Amino acid sequence: MANKLTLEQVRAKSTNRIAGLSDTQRKAAELLIDFAYACGVPIVITQGLRTIDEQNGLYAQGRTKPGQIVTNARGGYSYHNFGVAIDFALLLPDGKNVSWDMQRDGDGDGIADWDEVVAEARRIGWNWGGDWRSFKDYPHFEMTFGLSTADYRAGKRPSHTQLNTAMAKIDALKSNKTEDDEMTTEEKTEIAKQFKALQDRVIALESANKLAKVPTWAEQACINAKAAGVLDTANDGSYDFYRLVTILDRAGVFKTKGGAA
């Protein structure tokens, strides 16, 4: 199911909440919003930088204040207090309500939306609270560069090398995304459909010119086409058939969601 909200509308929902993050984490949060949207999963960042007083207020919930316990961290003991962590929720199509349903498949691709967001976050460099051994925090991501909250309280910060490496990765991912966006998913799908129809016709017309094996120069293109679900088999094709497969592969038609063919 296509997104009803534009990317600009989705981005705007999180602008204020990510404004207080450290530079690298803010860029990483922006990229996560974009990548999740590209997967058909709009998200909103529900929490970014959190003050010490806000943290203490949350810690009191379920202890000295009504409500359920939502954190084990006092003020100064959460990565949110240092602008290096975010929480997120799935943004529903109305653009107003959110969901924390980890089984939801709003885009109908057979993959839980939550899992898609987590996969994209890991690719960017976020660590997920759902991987913690105790007190799992499923909406939580953090990018700490190996520093503890005690380190942050003591004034330690990531090195320039660490920050530059992280930013270079973010910039590279953004660049790859821009290149991929030159051909939309819908365009690639339509080309793939046309190719399948052409494939059937070529097979019918050139059955007398079948090659005994796939040419070496066309092997990877055929592998990519099969992985994309365009080919059932690459055997018994003609020279022109394999040439066409190779041309389409180089055009990026068979590129998978992960970015690599």
Side-chain angles (χ1 to χ4, degrees):
M1 182 172 63
N3 288 320
K4 294 183 179 180
L5 299 169
T6 67
L7 178 55
E8 289 70 24
Q9 289 173 321
V10 173
R11 286 172 173 169
K13 297 289 182 180
S14 300
T15 300
N16 292 337
R17 294 186 181 92
I18 66 176
L21 296 173
S22 298
D23 288 345
T24 302
Q25 286 80 358
R26 187 179 69 256
K27 293 293 185 182
E30 292 170 348
L31 192 59
L32 177 59
I33 293 168
D34 288 4
F35 277 12
Y37 184 88
C39 292
V41 186
I43 64 170
V44 60
I45 305 304
T46 59
Q47 189 82 120
L49 177 66
R50 189 185 295 150
T51 67
I52 300 296
D53 287 342
E54 289 172 338
Q55 187 68 40
N56 284 330
L58 284 178
Y59 182 79
Q61 184 175 318
R63 294 182 174 90
T64 60
K65 292 183 178 180
Q68 295 181 335
I69 292 178
V70 293
T71 180
N72 282 337
R74 294 184 175 87
Y77 288 78
S78 168
Y79 285 112
H80 282 287
N81 303 150
F82 305 99
V84 298
I86 58 174
D87 294 335
F88 83 99
L90 304 174
L91 186 60
L92 297 181
D94 62 10
K96 300 178 181 179
N97 296 301
V98 299
S99 171
W100 286 272
D101 180 1
M102 295 181 64
Q103 305 304 316
R104 175 181 167 79
D105 181 16
D107 55 348
D109 62 358
I111 305 173
D113 296 343
W114 205 272
D115 292 342
E116 293 187 82
V117 177
V118 170
E120 294 302 319
R122 285 171 170 157
R123 185 157 71 100
I124 294 168
W126 290 104
N127 296 317
W128 182 42
D131 289 328
W132 296 348
R133 292 186 177 182
S134 62
F135 199 82
K136 293 181 180 293
D137 192 351
Y138 295 104
H140 179 90
F141 295 114
E142 58 188 38
M143 190 177 293
T144 67
F145 297 99
L147 297 176
S148 66
T149 55
D151 291 329
Y152 278 99
R153 289 195 303 275
K156 295 182 180 180
R157 294 297 183 267
S159 68
H160 290 298
T161 298
Q162 288 176 306
L163 294 174
N164 289 339
T165 299
M167 285 300 295
K169 180 178 181 179
I170 291 170
D171 289 340
L173 288 170
K174 288 176 65 175
S175 177
N176 289 339
K177 178 181 181 296
T178 300
E179 291 176 3
D180 289 346
D181 285 349
E182 293 177 0
M183 183 180 293
T184 67
T185 300
E186 290 77 12
E187 290 171 336
K188 289 183 179 181
T189 300
E190 182 58 30
I191 291 176
K193 288 180 179 178
Q194 294 178 12
F195 170 73
K196 184 64 169 62
L198 182 59
Q199 172 202 357
D200 294 340
R201 184 178 180 185
V202 168
I203 291 175
L205 294 175
E206 300 187 348
S207 58
N209 298 314
K210 294 178 182 178
L211 299 182
K213 58 182 296 186
V214 178
T216 302
W217 48 265
E219 287 178 351
Q220 188 59 54
C222 290
I223 290 172
N224 294 343
K226 290 174 69 176
V230 176
L231 285 181
D232 294 325
T233 177
N235 297 328
D236 301 326
S238 68
Y239 177 91
D240 288 337
F241 169 76
Y242 292 121
R243 182 171 177 271
L244 179 59
V245 172
T246 303
I247 291 172
L248 291 174
D249 181 59
R250 290 175 180 173
V253 173
F254 309 136
K255 189 171 293 184
T256 59
K257 182 182 291 186

